[in-house]
Amino acid sequence: MLLTRRNLMQTALTLGAMHAFPGLTWAQARPLVFATFTGSWEEAHKAVLVPAFRKAAGNANIVLDPMLSVDQIAKVNAAKSNPPIDVMLHDPGPALQAIAQDLVEPYPVEQSAYYKDLIPAAQVPMGPAPFFQVVGITYNPETVKTPPTSWADLWKPEFKGRVGITNLNSTLGTGFMVELAKMHGGSESNIDPAFKAIEALRPSLAAVAANPGQLATLFQQGQIDISPGNFNAIQILKARGVPVEFVIPKEGAIAFKTTIHIVKNSPNKELAFKLIEAALSPEVQATLMEEPYLIVPTNTKVAIKGELAKTLAKDHAEIAKKFVFQDWGKINEQRAAWIERFNREIRV
């Protein structure tokens, strides 16, 4: 195994616990391992969620291991009987894969103090959704004088050579293609119309990014003026002084549930439950709703305010009306084939 600073710190914590309690096994002694997402997600969880968890769990040790969902699934699959991760965080497509591969356990809903307070879409028995990610249209207000109002605006001739999109490896990219398909008579099961639409968009494409982070970099570098974009990522760019704005298209913003799961065979199930409870709590969600994180809460006890209320929705009832929740069960059935086709056909 390649030794990293995180590996060494985790090993030191584990050895210390085993020395203090000689009867403990390696698995029992190690700290809780939470596989969060990279970037702003890790920053938010380190600053807000981890302190709340440690307060509720008697100052228990926890290690954040940031990685993509696909890497989380591969890592747990490689050691199912003694998984190196206790809690996983997933977008809807990978979450269904983790459930189908029997990698996660049902959430103990009856023991939860907060599950009943989540909006219905967030009440997922195999792993509740403490947050939403919201995708709409991102644009540079210094170069785009008339704010866009529809996904169709990306095809306007004035944006020739200035449009950015992501490939279908990202949840954002797949979700955008599904919405394009719906606009042209397709569905979650048929995105052929979206491929035709993207072919027509080709002259306007400046870049096909590998992930939303690369899209953010393109805005920073002034290489694109308009794209599908993640609300949270855009707010972070704005805070850094990048000229960028976010709007909800008239077709509706795409909403992705970000679900959190207890890994099957975890030796730290009780601590895993406490971490997830902290993530569902109104205190943590209210803090993460504030700048600079601006994460959409799912606990109905949290009143939506600030930039979220201004840009996205004034309350949870409006979220249900304005956000588009896609059927990822159907999407997953063909997503691998769509990714292969997109990578083969759509190039800049």
Side-chain angles (χ1 to χ4, degrees):
M1 175 187 294
L2 178 65
L3 286 180
T4 64
R5 185 171 180 270
R6 177 179 281 110
N7 295 146
L8 291 171
M9 289 179 65
Q10 183 171 334
T11 300
L13 287 169
T14 305
L15 289 174
M18 291 177 72
H19 179 75
F21 303 98
L24 290 180
T25 66
W26 177 270
Q28 291 169 330
R30 72 165 170 76
L32 181 77
V33 179
F34 173 32
T36 182
F37 295 151
T38 58
S40 60
W41 287 91
E42 182 185 10
E43 294 173 16
H45 288 155
K46 184 182 296 183
V48 180
L49 179 55
V50 167
F53 159 74
R54 298 193 74 193
K55 182 178 179 181
N59 211 32
N61 288 319
I62 179 172
V63 172
L64 297 184
D65 195 2
M67 66 183 82
L68 296 173
S69 286
V70 64
D71 296 322
Q72 296 179 36
I73 290 173
K75 201 168 184 179
V76 173
N77 256 321
K80 288 185 178 180
S81 61
N82 184 23
I85 296 170
D86 301 297
V87 179
M88 292 196 286
L89 193 69
H90 288 310
D91 286 339
L96 291 174
Q97 291 178 335
I99 293 169
Q101 294 174 27
D102 197 28
L103 302 182
V104 300
E105 297 202 351
Y107 192 65
V109 173
E110 67 285 349
Q111 300 175 31
S112 175
Y114 308 115
Y115 187 90
K116 66 182 185 303
D117 297 326
L118 303 180
I119 64 173
Q123 293 184 7
V124 184
M126 291 301 291
F131 322 109
F132 282 127
Q133 297 181 63
V134 180
V135 172
I137 301 174
T138 304
Y139 70 99
N140 182 340
E142 294 183 355
T143 57
V144 179
K145 300 305 180 183
T146 302
T149 60
S150 167
W151 294 120
D153 288 346
L154 273 67
W155 279 256
K156 286 185 174 180
E158 58 260 40
F159 298 136
K160 184 176 181 178
R162 304 299 298 170
V163 177
I165 61 174
T166 65
N167 63 30
L168 302 198
N169 291 301
S170 74
T171 302
L172 184 156
T174 300
F176 173 58
M177 286 288 282
V178 169
E179 289 311 296
L180 287 186
K182 291 179 180 178
M183 289 173 61
H184 295 87
S187 67
E188 280 97 339
S189 299
N190 173 25
I191 66 167
D192 284 345
F195 277 100
K196 294 179 181 178
I198 291 295
E199 183 62 35
L201 185 65
R202 191 192 296 271
S204 295
L205 290 178
V208 177
N211 54 59
Q214 286 191 5
L215 275 183
T217 299
L218 292 171
F219 272 107
Q220 287 179 299
Q221 296 173 344
Q223 295 186 41
I224 60 174
D225 292 330
I226 190 168
S227 77
N230 182 291
F231 175 78
N232 306 86
I234 297 319
Q235 303 312 310
I236 291 172
L237 284 181
K238 287 179 67 175
R240 293 173 179 167
V242 179
V244 66
E245 293 291 344
F246 176 94
V247 296
I248 295 177
K250 65 182 182 181
E251 295 85 7
I254 307 168
F256 302 125
K257 289 183 289 190
T258 301
T259 50
I260 190 166
H261 307 265
I262 299 174
V263 176
K264 190 170 185 178
N265 297 324
S266 161
N268 286 319
K269 292 178 185 177
E270 182 178 347
L271 290 179
F273 174 73
K274 289 182 178 180
L275 175 70
I276 296 176
E277 282 292 282
L280 301 181
S281 71
E283 295 79 13
V284 166
Q285 292 204 8
T287 302
L288 289 175
M289 182 177 61
E290 307 271 335
E291 294 183 353
Y293 310 114
L294 296 173
I295 294 175
V296 183
T298 59
N299 191 312
T300 57
K301 300 295 185 183
V302 179
I304 296 177
K305 56 185 180 180
E307 187 65 27
L308 291 184
K310 175 183 174 183
T311 306
L312 298 182
K314 66 178 184 297
D315 54 34
H316 288 90
E318 191 173 5
I319 286 177
K321 295 177 182 178
K322 294 176 69 174
F323 292 0
V324 177
F325 294 94
Q326 299 169 333
D327 186 341
W328 278 85
K330 291 182 179 179
I331 292 170
N332 273 2
E333 292 174 359
Q334 301 185 67
R335 189 181 181 194
W338 294 342
I339 290 173
E340 181 182 353
R341 177 181 174 185
F342 186 95
N343 292 343
R344 184 177 65 251
E345 296 181 4
I346 309 302
R347 299 179 183 275
V348 177

